[in-house]
Amino acid sequence: MIDEFLEGNRRFISNEFNHHLDYYHGIARGQSPTILWIGCSDSRVSEDVVTGSKPGTIFVHRNIANIVAYNDVNIAAILEYALVHLKIRDIVVCGHTRCGGIAAIEDGVEENYIADWLLIASGAKEKVDEIARERNLTRDEKLNLLIEENVRLQIKHLEQFSLVKSLARKGQAPAIHGWVYSVESGAIKTLVDGRRAP
Ligand SMILES: [Zn+2]
């Protein structure tokens, strides 16, 4: 089973790497990605594959349900490196359809760590519960709305990071994009189109 991946690496070298040696030798000297991708860990949403991008173009942070957590030193360090050192000016927060994390927010889960982690997105569920009470939403409609509200909420969290605020004060706020990737169609829907933190 694991050999398939090493075999895949050999195919990558012969079919891709060796055909674009100038490019790969160039990025070996230093990366200059143009976007920071904050996405879900879900195996179906590989940011470079679904955006048709080569290695060297996307700086990546992925976790369950594409959450931006204030107290997460990992994402804070990634943001700092992306915005201050790599000078990235576009951030994508990408959710996706059929997200297990989002279903767990809706249904609740027993696992301690996962439940605690998903609490960070509970504001999105409260909002969608309210909407669902007014309209007669099916479960799928409700989950799809929750996926979108979660992206919007995590963008709000992102805008509240002191680093993002201080860049905004200097007129260097990154453009933030909210997307939802459909695992059914492969298409990306834009929810938030390059908003800059106030
Ligand atoms: Zn997911």
Side-chain angles (χ1 to χ4, degrees):
M1 182 68 184
I2 201 74
D3 289 343
E4 285 173 25
F5 293 90
L6 294 170
E7 182 51 40
N9 175 245
R10 287 187 279 274
R11 275 199 311 279
F12 164 72
I13 293 168
S14 56
N15 299 343
E16 165 64 23
F17 197 100
N18 286 344
H19 287 282
H20 302 97
L21 282 177
D22 285 352
Y23 178 77
Y24 285 100
H25 289 166
I27 61 169
R29 288 189 289 274
Q31 63 169 333
S32 48
T34 54
I35 67 170
L36 166 62
W37 176 279
I38 299 171
C40 183
S41 298
D42 192 299
S43 60
R44 297 165 293 182
V45 195
S46 301
E47 64 291 330
D48 43 7
V49 176
V50 305
T51 61
S53 305
K54 278 181 176 291
T57 52
I58 308 179
F59 201 64
V60 179
H61 175 81
R62 288 169 65 180
N63 61 43
I64 293 176
N66 42 275
I67 282 171
V68 177
Y70 311 118
N71 53 357
D72 179 0
V73 179
N74 183 7
I75 200 169
I78 283 171
L79 265 180
E80 187 166 53
Y81 195 73
L83 300 179
V84 177
H85 296 273
L86 295 171
K87 312 275 185 214
I88 288 174
R89 287 293 166 261
D90 287 275
I91 304 176
V92 171
V93 177
C94 189
H96 67 98
T97 60
R98 307 277 161 190
C99 180
I102 294 295
I105 293 169
E106 172 64 13
D107 300 333
V109 277
E110 294 298 324
E111 290 96 329
N112 297 330
Y113 288 118
I114 298 173
D116 290 350
W117 176 248
L118 294 174
L119 272 180
I120 304 161
S122 58
K125 175 164 166 55
E126 282 164 24
K127 191 163 178 188
V128 171
D129 281 345
E130 217 170 276
I131 296 168
R133 271 195 294 274
E134 289 162 15
R135 303 185 218 159
N136 205 12
L137 300 182
T138 65
R139 176 177 162 79
D140 276 354
E141 285 169 339
K142 195 177 175 198
L143 286 174
N144 286 335
L145 199 56
L146 189 51
I147 288 160
E148 295 188 1
E149 282 307 318
N150 181 51
V151 167
R152 293 181 203 280
L153 177 65
Q154 303 315 326
I155 286 177
K156 277 188 197 151
H157 291 171
L158 198 50
E159 288 173 341
Q160 283 158 19
F161 262 83
S162 33
L163 174 61
V164 174
K165 282 184 177 171
S166 77
L167 285 170
R169 279 195 295 275
K170 289 186 235 166
Q172 297 168 0
I176 302 175
H177 311 264
W179 292 354
V180 174
Y181 170 77
S182 165
V183 297
E184 294 93 343
S185 72
I188 288 171
K189 172 180 170 183
T190 299
L191 298 178
V192 176
D193 189 14
R195 189 164 85 196
R196 286 179 202 278

